[in-house]
Structures are given as structure tokens and as C-alpha cells.
Amino acid sequence: MMVLASFAALGLWGNSLAGLIVGIIPLDLGVFAAQIPNQVRVFSIDPKAQSRMNAVYMLCYYLGAAAGSAIGVKMMSVYGWQGMSLFGLALAAVALVHHGVKQRRSASSSQ
């Protein structure tokens, strides 16, 4: 939710220094706050192979970050700041919807 709000703030006020601060700080906090539960999930897959699991997780994490950066640069060059912000907002919204659907499915299957 924090990432979604951050991209909305960046899209609306990203042309000012205050808008960048309001958008980037919660974006950074939201991304890194998600990393902790993700690593806990990865470590729980095989507790004896935590180093290998973490290596694979971090490799995928940085490959995703590199791909996102490349796409963000392209979005910025074609659609400008608002287009890049809308793209980030759309990705965050898709992730939020996916999370909600997954939570509902696991709640209904446990009943």
C-alpha cells in the first residue's frame, strides 16, 4: 500500500523537491519492508539451505530491479514523468490485487 501511495505522490508532485521527498522515502521504506517477509518465506522453504536460497532470492531481486530500471528509463523517455509514475502505480496496484486474491484463496481454503 505504501508503494502504491508513493507512486501516486510521485505522479502528482514529482516535479518538485518536496514531492520527490514525499514520494521516494515511503517508496524506499515500502520496498525494503516487503523484503523482510519475503526472505522469511524463502528461508522457510528449506532451513538447511538458507545461504543458497538467499543467493537465488537476491539474484532474482536484482534481476527484477535491473529490468524495472530499464523499463522505467524507456517509459520516462517515451511518456515522461507522469507516464513512468503511472507505470509504477499500475505495477503496485497489480501486486496489491494479486496479494488480496491470494489471501482470500488461502482464507477460504483453510475454512
Side-chain angles (χ1 to χ4, degrees):
M1 195 66 144
M2 192 180 303
V3 173
L4 192 66
S6 294
F7 275 113
L10 287 170
L12 294 172
W13 305 298
N15 58 346
S16 70
L17 181 59
L20 286 174
I21 292 169
V22 166
I24 289 174
I25 290 175
L27 177 64
D28 194 43
L29 290 172
V31 168
F32 286 115
Q35 188 171 359
I36 295 167
N38 287 338
Q39 283 182 310
V40 168
R41 285 185 197 104
V42 167
F43 290 160
S44 69
I45 293 171
D46 186 1
K48 295 177 185 173
Q50 285 186 354
S51 295
R52 287 175 284 172
M53 299 298 283
N54 191 52
V56 171
Y57 170 76
M58 292 308 294
L59 173 68
C60 293
Y61 182 86
Y62 283 109
L63 287 175
S69 294
I71 294 168
V73 167
K74 186 66 175 173
M75 294 297 290
M76 183 73 166
S77 68
V78 174
Y79 300 107
W81 182 260
Q82 267 67 35
M84 192 266 316
S85 297
L86 283 173
F87 179 67
L89 185 75
L91 287 177
V94 167
L96 185 63
V97 167
H98 174 73
H99 177 71
V101 167
K102 188 175 177 184
Q103 290 288 50
R104 282 191 179 184
R105 283 185 187 160
S106 66
S108 66
S109 68
S110 65
Q111 291 178 354

